[in-house]
């Protein structure tokens, strides 16, 4: 449009502040605002519906401009507000316990759509969000180029300026991308959806384990910790009778011993279609104690949003009719 380069920064700042039209961009000349209205798309995600839990957790169903929808979850913790966002519409990874993969993957999200999940929810809550997790619908490393673009954008001090250290990216274990991620974003936290203590157990729950086996995955995680100096988080969903025995705890402790890591034990949010159940509290506690007693730091994740469709992909799946706010 023949504009000086600094105009791009001005527009980027406005978008990050939540502007929804060039009319709000008061430091741009009127002629440029009009030209933007004529020539640039200013789509933003629409909040189709949300559920509010008694603990303050809010789960949003966000409409995209092609009619698809994704989810994002706003959570309150002692250390501040946290947001979990989606990176794809649906997911191709096929994890057995997950509602997001029922129906497969429709498409990848663009970087601007991920950024807009954050902006739309800041605008809706009127609160600042200082922690971000990419653990919603989709496998972030299956959309690596847009993910990278998004991380740079949300970190850009000219816009939102979110610290890389306050961002966590979760993967089901795509090893080549774990290696690239350590080089490209050494300050961003890495979480691995592990959910099993052996190759056999993992294959039964997560098809990705056939492409990248446990040994290779854990080798990449060790190397990542050594390269970045940051501990890797292992997400481990406790599923009754599948991966929650003391045998599993013993095998897991053996696999992770000596690694710079932390295990986050997650009581399963049941999804009706899977027929899987959450482990009882005592069993979860016994599992955690075993890991801790054997030198592997572990916590049981506080269960937020238990009274709403809080499991990843549940709200989208259950929204046969979308409600305009
Ligand atoms: S757990 Fe993550 S990677 Fe696995 S199917 Fe669900 S969204 Fe995809």
């Amino acid at each position: 449009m023949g504009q000086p380069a600094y105009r791009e920064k001005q527009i980027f700042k406005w978008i990050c502040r939540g502007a929804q039209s060039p009319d709000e961009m008061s430091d741009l000349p009127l002629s440029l605002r009009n030209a933007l209205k004529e020539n640039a798309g200013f789509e933003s995600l629409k909040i189709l519906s949300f559920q509010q839990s008694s603990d303050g957790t809010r789960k949003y169903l966000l409409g995209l401009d092609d009619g698809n929808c994704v989810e994002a979850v706003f959570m309150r913790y002692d250390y501040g507000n946290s947001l979990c966002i989606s990176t794809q519409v649906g997911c191709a990874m096929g994890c057995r316990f997950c509602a997001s993969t029922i129906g497969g993957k429709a498409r990848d999200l663009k970087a601007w759509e991920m950024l807009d999940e954050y902006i739309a929810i800041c605008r809706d809550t009127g609160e600042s969000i200082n922690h971000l997790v990419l653990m919603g619908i989709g496998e972030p490393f299956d959309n690596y180029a847009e993910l990278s673009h998004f991380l740079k954008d949300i970190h850009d001090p000219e816009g939102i300026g979110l610290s890389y250290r306050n961002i966590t990216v979760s993967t089901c274990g795509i090893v080549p991308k774990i290696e690239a991620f350590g080089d490209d974003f050494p300050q961003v936290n890495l979480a691995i959806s592990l959910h099993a203590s052996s190759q056999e157990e993992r294959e039964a729950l997560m098809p990705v384990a056939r492409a990248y086996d446990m040994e290779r995955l854990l080798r990449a995680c060790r190397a990542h910790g050594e390269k970045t100096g940051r501990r890797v988080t292992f997400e481990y969903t406790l599923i009754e009778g599948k991966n929650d025995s003391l045998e599993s705890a013993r095998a897991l402790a053996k696999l992770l011993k000596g690694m710079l890591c932390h295990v986050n034990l997650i009581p399963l949010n049941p999804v009706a279609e899977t027929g899987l159940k959450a482990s009882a509290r005592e069993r979860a506690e016994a599992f955690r104690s075993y890991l801790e007693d054997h030198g592997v730091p572990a916590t049981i994740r506080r269960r937020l949003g238990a009274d709403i469709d809080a499991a990843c992909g549940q709200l989208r799946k259950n929204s046969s009719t979308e409600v305009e706010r």
Side-chain angles (χ1 to χ4, degrees):
M1 296 171 79
Q3 295 291 325
Y6 67 85
R7 294 286 185 217
E8 183 196 341
K9 284 220 167 99
Q10 286 177 305
I11 294 167
F12 180 66
K13 277 185 190 172
W14 278 110
I15 289 173
C16 290
R17 268 186 248 159
Q20 291 184 288
S21 154
D23 290 331
E24 296 174 48
M25 302 179 181
S26 53
D27 55 358
L28 301 186
L30 186 61
S31 57
L32 176 56
R33 282 184 255 161
N34 287 337
L36 283 173
K37 277 198 278 185
E38 274 172 40
N39 299 304
F42 265 85
E43 299 89 358
S44 61
L45 308 194
K46 287 194 182 60
I47 296 176
L48 298 174
S49 67
F50 72 86
Q51 295 180 341
Q52 168 109 25
S53 165
S54 53
D55 60 26
T57 301
R58 273 185 170 208
K59 182 150 194 176
Y60 290 88
L61 188 67
L62 301 169
L64 309 172
D65 58 359
D66 63 359
N68 279 306
C69 55
V70 290
E71 300 173 356
V73 186
F74 171 83
M75 293 156 286
R76 287 202 172 87
Y77 288 98
D78 299 341
Y79 55 75
N81 294 328
S82 179
L83 180 70
C84 176
I85 63 165
S86 297
T87 54
Q88 297 179 311
V89 181
C91 184
M93 296 295 138
C95 302
R96 267 206 61 209
F97 47 83
C98 180
S100 299
T101 197
I102 298 170
K105 179 179 94 170
R107 71 170 172 90
D108 292 328
L109 287 189
K110 294 285 185 195
W112 76 262
E113 290 173 312
M114 295 181 224
L115 190 66
D116 210 23
E117 290 182 69
Y118 179 94
I119 293 168
I121 289 162
C122 284
R123 194 167 44 225
D124 190 67
T125 58
E127 296 185 35
S128 60
I129 296 171
N130 32 29
H131 288 82
L132 185 70
V133 287
L134 289 92
M135 209 179 274
I137 297 173
E139 163 53 53
F141 286 173
D142 187 37
N143 187 14
Y144 194 81
E146 292 297 323
L147 169 77
S148 302
H149 187 162
F150 162 71
L151 291 174
K152 288 175 191 159
D153 274 354
I154 200 160
H155 177 65
D156 189 333
E158 298 282 350
I160 291 161
L162 195 64
S163 162
Y164 277 146
R165 291 172 186 272
N166 287 4
I167 304 175
T168 301
V169 175
S170 173
T171 176
C172 65
I174 300 179
V175 169
K177 293 294 190 297
I178 292 173
E179 291 160 356
F181 187 69
D183 293 330
D184 297 342
F185 299 98
Q187 291 180 307
V188 178
N189 302 298
L190 175 70
I192 306 288
S193 293
L194 192 66
H195 309 305
S197 62
S198 69
Q199 175 62 15
E200 198 187 5
E201 217 174 65
R202 196 159 197 266
E203 269 189 34
L205 290 171
M206 305 178 73
V208 70
R210 277 178 236 138
Y212 306 108
D213 65 34
M214 285 275 269
E215 203 189 315
R216 195 171 161 201
L217 174 61
L218 294 179
R219 211 180 319 126
C221 293
R222 274 181 207 280
H224 181 87
E226 282 157 21
K227 184 171 11 183
T228 63
R230 301 183 72 71
R231 69 179 184 174
V232 175
T233 298
F234 290 104
E235 308 285 343
Y236 193 105
T237 298
L238 287 164
I239 306 170
E240 186 186 85
K242 296 282 178 201
N243 62 1
D244 63 344
S245 66
L246 276 184
E247 285 305 304
S248 295
R250 191 171 302 134
L252 187 62
K254 205 169 156 198
L255 285 173
L256 302 185
K257 199 164 173 62
M259 196 190 295
L260 186 61
C261 72
H262 177 262
V263 177
N264 201 2
L265 297 167
I266 308 162
L268 177 77
N269 263 318
V271 175
E273 288 85 340
T274 65
L276 302 172
K277 288 194 197 146
S279 306
R281 182 80 204 178
E282 309 76 66
R283 213 166 163 95
E285 198 45 60
F287 201 99
R288 188 197 65 77
S289 301
Y290 188 93
L291 292 180
E292 285 273 337
D293 293 347
H294 291 79
V296 179
T299 44
I300 299 176
R301 186 190 285 174
R302 189 156 67 94
R303 201 167 169 201
L304 295 178
D307 52 345
I308 57 177
D309 285 337
C312 163
Q314 251 177 347
L315 186 60
R316 174 172 167 263
K317 182 178 66 58
N318 292 346
S319 68
S320 45
T321 48
E322 293 166 353
V323 187
E324 196 77 46
R325 278 179 89 207

